[in-house]
Amino acid sequence: MTLEYTGANWNIPEDDFTQSFYEQNLSQFWRPEDISLQPDLNVWHVLPEEVKLAYAQNLQVLTFLDTYQGDIGMPVVSRAMAKEFHQRKAVLNFMGAMENAVHAKSYSNIFMTYMSNSEIDELFVWGEENENLQKILEAIVKHYRNLDKMTYERNYTMNGAFDSKAFDKALYKAMVASVFLESWLFYSGFYYPLWFYGQGKLMQAGEIINLILRDESIHGLYVGRLSTLLLETMTSDEKEEMKQFTHDLLYELYELEIALIEEIYDPVDLSHDVKIFVRYNANKALMNLAYEPVFEYEEVNPVVLNGLNTETKTMDNFSMKGNGYQKMISEALRDDDFYFEKPSIGKK
Ligand SMILES: [Fe+2]
Ligand SMILES: [Fe+2]
């Protein structure tokens, strides 16, 4: 009898890194509702319209990326793992849940605090109709869809007709797309909230962005580790083909990123700076995939690095900057919360 079903046995590590990523992921779990955004409103309401628009459009880009990373990116990579890798699947599934239920939800919380319903509706229409954003998503999501299709074929093709080499390539390509999204594409959107945060403004939204960034950085690292393991199983010709694919996708995305950055950041005169930050993070994504950087080293705006640097920050009462984020104060519901005085109209 062949063993069809196996249980997740955490007593036997699947490799030397998955359980550490598991610990790290769970230890940094957080909830969108933990962070009250009200303290930002006095700053938000006096910002010029073009600044508000650029800020909101960036969070909209981030919303789209997180939505698809949660809807399809992480779940598909998880399902593609060989069936005995229950721990890897658990870690990927946990990450996938964070994308949608925590990260995308947090951007919506920012919108709901800062903006009116009609402004939010308009913003989502902007995202849906934005050609560059749609093209960026297509360039990423098509690799997830292809892997999804091949995973289905792997699981349900009879008589050994399944091509495992082609499957591995599809898996590798989806992982490259995933690392590019996590470790690179997010950063053009992160730039603006970090730019404010580094100057002590819109601090609560900045705390949210830092929490998201902390998650995305381990997501990119983890999928990067899995991708290099897979690459090691390939022949040198296949490795060369995958390297070529990685660089082709990088330049395709870079061109789309540049167009999107100019559209969002030109009105606030920051495109030049954001492009430097984006090249800096493209190099970091390549390193997560164990490739050499392709862009020359450039100095990143120190204000943004200040916004990024959550570990060395100490409390500063003048700028309101601090390591701990301000949690929303809530209390448990009690029976008498539902006791309402009876209306006394018409009665004595
Ligand atoms: Fe995310
Ligand atoms: Fe992520």
Side-chain angles (χ1 to χ4, degrees):
M1 180 183 158
T2 54
L3 290 174
E4 179 62 20
Y5 300 105
T6 59
N9 180 2
W10 290 79
N11 191 39
I12 302 168
E14 288 172 3
D15 51 50
D16 61 358
F17 57 92
T18 292
Q19 293 208 4
S20 314
F21 275 95
Y22 167 84
E23 292 294 339
Q24 188 60 37
N25 269 280
L26 269 80
S27 71
Q28 63 188 53
F29 174 75
W30 57 285
R31 299 177 308 164
E33 280 67 29
D34 286 342
I35 299 146
S36 160
L37 286 151
Q38 302 297 326
D40 286 350
L41 284 176
N42 54 350
V43 172
W44 177 260
H45 284 316
V46 297
L47 292 174
E49 285 308 311
E50 68 274 14
V51 171
K52 285 184 185 170
L53 185 64
Y55 198 99
Q57 286 175 339
N58 275 310
L59 296 192
Q60 181 69 346
V61 170
L62 294 171
T63 300
F64 273 60
L65 294 174
D66 257 318
T67 301
Y68 284 90
Q69 194 66 348
D71 280 3
I72 179 166
M74 284 295 181
V76 162
V77 173
S78 167
R79 282 200 295 277
M81 291 290 112
K83 63 181 182 182
E84 68 272 21
F85 287 116
H86 301 297
Q87 294 163 27
R88 291 184 187 175
K89 287 170 187 283
V91 172
L92 291 161
N93 287 338
F94 186 90
M95 291 173 175
M98 290 302 286
E99 315 291 14
N100 238 343
V102 178
H103 302 168
K105 175 69 164 52
S106 296
Y107 304 127
S108 277
N109 283 1
I110 298 175
F111 298 146
M112 288 187 273
T113 309
Y114 290 181
M115 296 157 64
S116 68
N117 286 342
S118 61
E119 286 169 335
I120 297 171
D121 290 347
E122 244 175 72
L123 183 66
F124 274 82
V125 171
W126 172 85
E128 286 154 15
E129 291 179 351
N130 188 286
E131 214 174 303
N132 288 315
L133 178 56
Q134 295 289 325
K135 280 184 186 165
I136 288 171
L137 284 161
E138 177 60 22
I140 296 288
V141 173
K142 74 177 180 196
H143 296 292
Y144 297 158
R145 289 206 188 102
N146 185 48
L147 177 61
D148 203 14
K149 184 175 129 264
M150 296 195 65
T151 301
Y152 183 89
E153 285 168 9
R154 177 195 67 186
N155 294 346
Y156 303 107
T157 303
M158 300 298 169
N159 309 324
F162 174 71
D163 180 349
S164 70
K165 287 262 181 203
F167 177 83
D168 284 352
K169 286 181 190 175
L171 174 56
Y172 185 79
K173 289 176 180 180
M175 285 174 168
V176 169
S178 178
V179 173
F180 279 166
L181 186 152
E182 299 276 0
S183 306
W184 176 29
L185 301 182
F186 276 128
Y187 284 81
S188 69
F190 288 155
Y191 179 95
Y192 212 24
L194 292 174
W195 188 81
F196 277 96
Y197 190 76
Q199 302 172 74
K201 290 177 186 164
L202 302 176
M203 297 304 286
Q204 297 297 97
E207 292 285 0
I208 287 179
I209 295 300
N210 264 310
L211 289 166
I212 293 174
L213 206 148
R214 187 178 67 171
D215 291 341
E216 308 305 12
S217 81
I218 58 168
H219 297 176
L221 271 176
Y222 184 62
V223 176
R225 286 291 292 270
L226 293 176
S227 78
T228 50
L229 278 188
L230 179 61
L231 195 67
E232 280 165 19
T233 66
M234 295 186 183
T235 66
S236 53
D237 280 355
E238 288 164 347
K239 281 180 186 162
E240 199 45 51
E241 186 189 334
M242 293 302 103
K243 185 178 178 182
Q244 189 60 47
F245 162 81
T246 303
H247 286 95
D248 290 347
L249 182 60
L250 180 111
Y251 289 113
E252 180 190 351
L253 288 168
Y254 182 64
E255 213 169 290
L256 294 168
E257 276 283 297
I258 292 296
L260 188 65
I261 288 166
E262 287 173 357
E263 184 182 346
I264 296 175
Y265 285 101
D266 273 357
V268 291
D269 280 337
L270 281 169
S271 288
H272 173 77
D273 241 25
V274 181
K275 287 176 194 172
I276 293 174
F277 192 54
V278 159
R279 288 190 286 269
Y280 169 86
N281 287 293
N283 283 340
K284 277 177 45 187
L286 284 170
M287 280 161 63
N288 283 350
L289 293 163
Y291 293 114
E292 294 295 315
V294 296
F295 296 111
E296 289 288 315
Y297 176 79
E298 296 164 281
E299 203 79 42
V300 172
N301 186 337
V303 173
V304 171
L305 288 182
N306 185 29
L308 252 179
N309 197 357
T310 52
E311 274 157 32
T312 57
K313 206 183 326 141
T314 50
M315 195 62 192
D316 171 350
N317 288 325
F318 294 101
S319 66
M320 285 175 57
K321 289 174 58 179
N323 262 331
Y325 55 83
Q326 190 172 336
K327 288 194 174 191
M328 194 123 79
I329 299 162
S330 61
E331 56 174 321
L333 285 174
R334 299 185 309 260
D335 280 353
D336 57 9
D337 287 333
F338 297 95
Y339 174 78
F340 304 103
E341 279 190 29
K342 286 187 183 135
S344 59
I345 301 165
K347 288 185 181 172
K348 288 204 171 165

